[in-house]
Amino acid sequence: MTLHAQFKLDYPGFSLDVDLQLPAKGITALFGPSGCGKTTLLRCMAGLTRADQGQLSLQGEVWQSATQFLPVHQRALGYVFQEAALFGHLSVRRNLLYGQSRVAASARQVDFDSMVQLLGIGHLLERLPLHLSGGERQRVAIARALLTSPRLLLMDEPLAALDLARKQEFLPYLERLHDELAIPVVYVSHAPDEVARLADHLVVMQQGRAVAVGPLTETLARLDLPVHLGEDAGVVLQAVVVERDTQWHLARVAFEGGSLWVRDGGHATGQAVRVRILARDVSIALQPVSGISIQNCLSATVEQMVDDYHPALCLLRLRLGAAPLLARVTQRSAHALELAAGKPVWVQIKAVALIG
């Protein structure tokens, strides 16, 4: 079953025109630069903005069509804004109970105590929002939204107001939600690191249009994305920890195209993880190379080459078995190695980020 969202909306100087079929599970990221229409699309989905033309249905239940428009309070959704919109005069507990009270007791699907534990806010229940950090306020805002037992959770750049330290503190709680709840999430972000860590499905937006839609791994590996990722260009692979080297604090993770040594993040053998490989950290050779510090060297095939954002560079998409990979090399190196689609090569991966 899917989430179908189709909206057309015209403002002076801006128009939104999207028609999306999204999976009704996991996290779908709306990604793109500021002003591309991500928040406008999210507000249309919520019913906060009424599009000139709009259709929205979730798993067959119609919330909006040419003849029907459910107001926001009748849509079974939760909405988390950039700034946590908590009631300042109410304690955390009473903020949460307010969210829960919007749903009849017989229809509640989310347990109060379980949500408090999941988001680590038990010690905050008697505090007022004024005495919470930014990350704590956002965790409370998410808990309140989820206690309405929504069928869909919309999140509009919930980390935008947090500094780097608070963001790193907050991300594990979002990962817990991803792993433990069956509620589909549409997550707005312009930060590639957030998208890489959290998303299952990706919608890349530009000037009010969805210019790329699909599963995260394959969509990030596309070379025709008009949204400039620059130094953040790379792929995210699903992997499993298969070995740990406690002497050197390393772990080996296996994916569909091979395996990689990474820094040991403490994950148990057999645990599913994500690895992020940036194009700038991949080099190319025509045969295996020994006597160097790079430990990850795998055979691959060049699939496609395009000019990169600087005339001295080109971007390659390669295939490691079933897994895609991006590499950034100079045009001179590509010429010297006679790189072309279909050519077998060896890739040396200098750095791999274990992100979940």
Side-chain angles (χ1 to χ4, degrees):
M1 301 295 285
T2 60
L3 169 64
H4 179 214
Q6 180 180 12
F7 296 104
K8 287 188 177 182
L9 178 66
D10 287 299
Y11 289 136
F14 174 79
S15 64
L16 177 74
D17 188 352
V18 296
D19 188 352
L20 299 170
Q21 296 281 351
L22 304 176
K25 63 179 181 179
I27 296 179
T28 295
L30 303 181
F31 174 74
S34 297
C36 70
K38 304 184 300 293
T39 294
T40 301
L41 173 55
L42 207 70
R43 289 179 60 86
C44 286
M45 294 172 71
L48 292 169
T49 296
R50 187 160 186 169
D52 305 322
Q53 301 177 45
Q55 295 187 47
L56 183 69
S57 62
L58 176 62
Q59 297 180 325
E61 180 181 324
V62 177
W63 291 356
Q64 186 172 343
S65 68
T67 59
Q68 180 179 358
F69 183 87
L70 287 184
V72 61
H73 67 275
Q74 292 182 11
R75 302 185 185 200
L77 59 82
Y79 199 120
V80 180
F81 297 87
Q82 291 184 25
E83 295 284 351
L86 302 178
F87 297 115
H89 65 291
L90 298 181
S91 67
V92 167
R93 183 188 300 275
R94 292 178 66 195
N95 266 280
L96 299 181
L97 291 173
Y98 172 82
Q100 191 177 51
S101 69
R102 293 179 55 201
V103 184
S106 59
R108 291 173 188 170
Q109 302 294 318
V110 179
D111 178 69
F112 183 97
D113 292 335
S114 298
M115 190 52 51
V116 167
Q117 182 177 4
L118 182 65
L119 286 163
I121 55 176
H123 64 295
L124 306 176
L125 290 176
E126 306 312 322
R127 294 189 195 176
L128 292 173
L130 177 66
H131 303 298
L132 303 179
S133 70
E136 289 169 343
R137 283 196 294 272
Q138 285 296 66
R139 280 151 55 194
V140 173
I142 292 172
R144 187 177 66 178
L146 289 170
L147 282 168
T148 66
S149 297
R151 297 183 59 209
L152 175 66
L153 180 62
L154 307 177
M155 305 183 77
D156 187 4
E157 301 206 59
L159 308 186
L162 306 184
D163 60 32
L164 181 60
R166 299 290 79 75
K167 184 181 293 190
Q168 294 305 314
E169 171 190 292
F170 186 82
L171 278 167
Y173 293 100
L174 289 182
E175 289 174 326
R176 280 195 205 173
L177 293 178
H178 175 274
D179 294 340
E180 299 189 28
L181 295 183
I183 299 170
V185 179
V186 179
Y187 186 98
V188 166
S189 179
H190 66 273
D193 58 330
E194 290 177 32
V195 171
R197 186 161 176 174
L198 298 171
D200 303 296
H201 200 79
L202 184 61
V203 177
V204 180
M205 296 193 63
Q206 186 178 50
Q207 297 179 347
R209 307 295 190 272
V211 294
V213 182
L216 178 71
T217 296
E218 292 295 337
T219 306
L220 283 179
R222 286 178 53 172
L223 298 185
D224 60 345
L225 286 184
V227 175
H228 170 55
L229 293 178
E231 292 300 304
D232 289 311
V235 298
V236 175
L237 304 179
Q238 303 292 335
V240 176
V241 177
V242 294
E243 183 181 354
R244 297 177 70 188
D245 184 335
T246 56
Q247 179 181 359
W248 302 110
H249 307 286
L250 297 172
R252 186 166 64 88
V253 298
F255 58 98
E256 288 189 276
S259 65
L260 299 165
W261 284 102
V262 301
R263 286 181 295 180
D264 189 355
H267 300 83
T269 302
Q271 185 172 345
V273 294
R274 291 185 180 201
V275 293
R276 187 182 185 199
I277 305 171
L278 297 177
R280 67 181 185 225
D281 292 327
V282 179
S283 62
I284 307 294
L286 298 183
Q287 53 266 320
V289 180
S290 60
I292 59 174
S293 62
I294 301 172
Q295 297 196 19
N296 293 311
C297 187
L298 299 90
S299 62
T301 302
V302 177
E303 280 196 331
Q304 187 181 357
M305 297 172 55
V306 297
D307 294 337
D308 206 359
Y309 65 91
H310 189 279
L313 303 173
C314 67
L315 196 61
L316 284 70
R317 187 178 69 212
L318 307 111
R319 188 64 59 172
L320 305 174
L325 186 70
L326 296 184
R328 174 173 286 121
V329 299
T330 64
Q331 296 278 8
R332 183 166 68 177
S333 293
H335 176 76
L337 296 174
E338 299 181 344
L339 298 180
K343 183 160 188 168
V345 296
W346 289 84
V347 294
Q348 300 170 97
I349 302 174
K350 292 174 278 188
V352 181
L354 196 64
I355 56 175

